[in-house]
Amino acid sequence: MDDEPLWYVAYGSNLVRERFACYLSGGRPRGGARHHTGCRDPRPARAEQSITVPGGIYFAHTSQTWGGGMAFYDPDLPGRAAARAYLLTRRQFCDVLSQEMRRDTGTDHDLSEAVAHGRQRIGPGRYETVLKVGERAGRPMLTFTSPAPAPPNPPSASYLAMLGHGLREAHGWPPERAASYLAGRPGAHGHWTPRDIAALLEPNRVPLGSSHERR
């Protein structure tokens, strides 16, 4: 069961392949301050695909890493959320989940409820609710998010730049499309314009970490 493949669906900063690699093999992303433990199985993802899933993302809470709202997935929002799916072993997914929950790796979380019924609350924290967003090639597609929508909070420039870079890398979107997508998300809408976000995505700005990181 530990080697059974499943898809981890990333919709936030793990859209960036280089950044996500640190969750697998350990280390600190270029320009970042946080060191990731890595997985018990440090091998790269078996496959990856650029996808969209029903629903959308919103920005809420306050990130100690980025200094503003963080991206959360809500399947009940209208539209579709842009994402990147990584094919991992079940054990790798559990270790990625543990790192997002700020827990030690090495726990094989029971994901049966999420796989069978679509939702499972692992803990009370912000990224401790696992959702099944579909299947691909007979394998479940799982992500994690907040247990319930929270009041919107505008994201920081560095976080938006990271997400924009991930959208461009994963989906091949031009800066204008990535900026329009992010500017329309709850929490960013009304605080950031597409033009402002597009300016963060200029070719000479490739933010793989944040000078604000402190956790």
Side-chain angles (χ1 to χ4, degrees), residues 114-169:
V115 172
H117 302 292
R119 178 183 287 265
Q120 181 173 349
R121 189 167 176 175
I122 305 295
R126 297 172 179 177
Y127 289 112
E128 300 188 1
T129 297
V130 180
L131 301 180
K132 181 181 178 182
V133 297
E135 291 188 359
R136 186 167 290 254
R139 305 297 183 183
M141 305 175 70
L142 303 179
T143 192
F144 26 81
T145 188
S146 177
N153 187 32
S156 67
S158 57
Y159 190 51
L160 285 172
M162 170 66 71
L163 296 187
H165 175 62
L167 290 168
R168 297 192 65 196
E169 179 186 289

Side-chain angles (χ1 to χ4, degrees), residues 16-208:
V16 179
R17 185 187 298 113
E18 181 181 337
R19 186 172 181 84
F20 178 60
C22 290
Y23 280 82
L24 298 176
S25 60
R28 187 171 61 187
R30 177 160 51 94
R34 178 188 170 194
H35 184 277
H36 297 274
T37 304
C39 296
R40 288 166 286 176
D41 178 355
R43 292 176 296 176
R46 299 184 182 187
E48 63 178 64
Q49 294 187 5
S50 299
I51 62 169
T52 63
V53 294
I57 66 168
Y58 64 97
F59 297 100
H61 297 292
T62 300
S63 171
Q64 295 178 27
T65 300
W66 303 97
M70 301 174 290
F72 295 94
Y73 170 69
D74 183 351
D76 295 326
L77 285 174
R80 298 188 69 84
R84 193 174 212 163
Y86 298 95
L87 188 61
L88 308 178
T89 66
R90 182 181 291 261
R91 176 167 286 180
Q92 284 179 315
F93 179 87
C94 288
D95 282 346
V96 171
L97 175 60
S98 292
Q99 289 176 80
E100 285 285 18
M101 295 193 299
R102 305 289 173 163
R103 301 184 189 179
D104 293 335
T105 58
T107 299
D108 294 322
H109 303 286
D110 178 7
L111 304 173
S112 57
E113 184 179 343
V115 172
H117 302 292
R119 178 183 287 265
Q120 181 173 349
R121 189 167 176 175
I122 305 295
R126 297 172 179 177
Y127 289 112
E128 300 188 1
T129 297
V130 180
L131 301 180
K132 181 181 178 182
V133 297
E135 291 188 359
R136 186 167 290 254
R139 305 297 183 183
M141 305 175 70
L142 303 179
T143 192
F144 26 81
T145 188
S146 177
N153 187 32
S156 67
S158 57
Y159 190 51
L160 285 172
M162 170 66 71
L163 296 187
H165 175 62
L167 290 168
R168 297 192 65 196
E169 179 186 289
H171 290 268
W173 289 358
E176 294 75 17
R177 182 174 180 182
S180 179
Y181 171 82
L182 293 171
R185 302 305 92 197
H189 182 68
H191 295 271
W192 287 94
T193 67
R195 177 179 293 182
D196 289 339
I197 298 175
L200 302 174
L201 306 182
E202 296 174 356
N204 62 330
R205 301 186 64 161
V206 183
L208 293 175

